[in-house]
Amino acid sequence: MKKILCPTDFSETADQAIAYAAKLCKKIGAELTLLNVQSIFSLPPKEVIKGKYLATKSIAEQLDDRSYEVMKVFKITCLSEVEPSNSRLSDVIAAKASSYDLVVMGTNGADDLYEFFFGSRSYQVVKKSNTPVLLLPTGCGYKDISTMVFAFDYQESHELPLTQLRKFTSLLESTITILQVKKKYVRNEETESQEIRDGLKVIDNMTGINFETIYADDIGFGIHQYLVKNDIDALALCSIHHGMGLIETLFHKSVIKQLSATADYPIYVFHE
């Protein structure tokens, strides 16, 4: 992982994401790029007539200042890019993301995080790009990710999408726990789950990967409680670009909404 993209709108939440991304870059030896997207439809007609360069010049200067500050404080390479566009914000970020290894994005809490998964902007970044996204709720300060929980129902798919997740966790030297959530204990299902786990361990190298099954009437609350109780550093979810789509094979919308309301840890959304 050599290049990380961090979109910013100069908000406090975005500044927190920049600081997090800078520390992550320093840890893994990556290069950071700050991206600001300017819609020409939001600009005064006079500036639009003058052209994209003049319309975005002051923004570019602000972003250059942020970039210089990041390089000075964190001692990393930090570039800046302003993109004037008449396209949707999510389309521009998704297109840019294809040239990067990771996108780091801040969120403003429950409503914004819910919109990330099912709204019109950030969700589209995940949907249209194969680049993983690290989502940071407001107030989520940097902490080394040494433990990662991947919530995934392998009993349904009989496989584990781990390629992108392993690339990330290997750089961080973190462990992975595959968490399966069931509403109640059923002996036959547990026996089947164990057989699937045994088969996966034979097929693939599962060094550093643990399996856990928990039982909870409320799946979202169960996942959150597991992370909090076990002091887990981050949650991983898989965006599948076929079939039903983003995480909908795992959790319905109310579960994601509940996770978004309670999460104060990074959420790593990757693709297979």
Side-chain angles (χ1 to χ4, degrees):
M1 185 175 291
K2 298 298 182 182
K3 298 172 63 178
I4 293 179
L5 181 69
C6 187
T8 177
D9 57 3
F10 300 103
S11 65
E12 182 179 350
T13 298
D15 284 345
Q16 291 178 358
I18 290 173
Y20 190 105
K23 291 177 181 177
L24 179 61
C25 285
K26 189 173 182 66
K27 177 178 176 63
I28 66 176
E31 172 187 280
L32 179 62
T33 296
L34 308 183
L35 172 68
N36 178 266
V37 181
Q38 290 291 305
S39 169
I40 65 171
F41 294 117
S42 66
L43 298 170
K46 183 178 180 181
E47 290 189 334
V48 174
I49 292 172
K50 286 181 179 179
K52 293 181 180 180
Y53 174 74
L54 292 179
T56 59
K57 184 176 180 181
S58 62
I59 297 297
E61 290 171 348
Q62 291 182 55
L63 200 60
D64 282 343
D65 289 342
R66 294 287 172 90
S67 176
Y68 176 77
E69 184 179 358
V70 168
M71 288 191 288
K72 182 179 178 181
V73 173
F74 298 101
K75 311 300 181 187
I76 63 169
T77 299
C78 184
L79 308 177
S80 62
E81 183 175 354
V82 177
E83 182 70 22
S85 177
N86 58 3
S87 300
R88 291 181 178 180
L89 175 66
S90 58
D91 289 341
V92 179
I93 296 174
K96 292 290 183 183
S98 62
S99 300
Y100 292 83
D101 303 305
L102 177 69
V103 178
V104 175
M105 298 179 67
T107 65
N108 291 318
D111 292 338
D112 191 42
L113 189 55
Y114 181 65
E115 181 179 314
F116 171 80
F117 288 108
F118 299 103
S120 61
R121 290 187 177 182
S122 300
Y123 166 75
Q124 297 299 326
V125 176
V126 169
K127 183 179 179 181
K128 297 175 181 179
S129 171
N130 289 322
T131 304
V133 177
L134 187 64
L135 198 62
L136 303 172
T138 298
C140 179
Y142 181 83
K143 175 185 177 184
D144 284 347
I145 299 176
S146 59
T147 54
M148 177 90 73
V149 160
F150 175 28
F152 190 78
D153 187 3
Y154 52 84
Q155 189 167 351
E156 181 177 339
S157 63
H158 285 234
E159 62 180 359
L160 279 173
L162 290 174
T163 303
Q164 289 186 332
L165 180 59
R166 275 178 155 174
K167 287 180 180 178
F168 188 50
T169 56
S170 64
L171 286 172
L172 303 176
E173 298 181 342
S174 59
T175 61
I176 302 172
T177 296
I178 312 297
L179 183 66
Q180 187 172 235
V181 184
K182 299 292 185 181
K183 290 197 172 183
K184 61 181 180 179
Y185 174 82
V186 178
R187 184 174 181 179
N188 290 341
E189 289 185 357
E190 178 55 31
T191 300
E192 181 184 355
S193 291
Q194 183 60 55
E195 291 174 351
I196 294 170
R197 289 195 294 269
D198 292 341
L200 290 170
K201 290 176 182 178
V202 171
I203 295 172
D204 202 355
N205 177 18
M206 291 293 170
T207 303
I209 297 180
N210 305 308
F211 288 87
E212 290 281 356
T213 300
I214 61 173
Y215 303 94
D217 292 331
D218 189 311
I219 295 175
F221 182 74
I223 294 170
H224 178 68
Q225 285 293 96
Y226 181 89
L227 265 77
V228 172
K229 180 180 179 181
N230 293 278
D231 196 25
I232 303 298
D233 298 322
L235 172 66
L237 298 172
C238 183
S239 166
I240 302 173
H241 283 188
H242 56 80
M244 294 182 67
L246 175 64
I247 312 169
E248 291 175 311
T249 55
L250 307 179
F251 315 116
H252 50 75
K253 293 184 180 182
S254 62
V255 174
I256 294 297
K257 188 172 184 179
Q258 184 178 29
L259 278 173
S260 71
T262 55
D264 56 358
Y265 36 77
I267 299 178
Y268 178 77
V269 185
F270 67 102
H271 315 262
E272 293 290 339

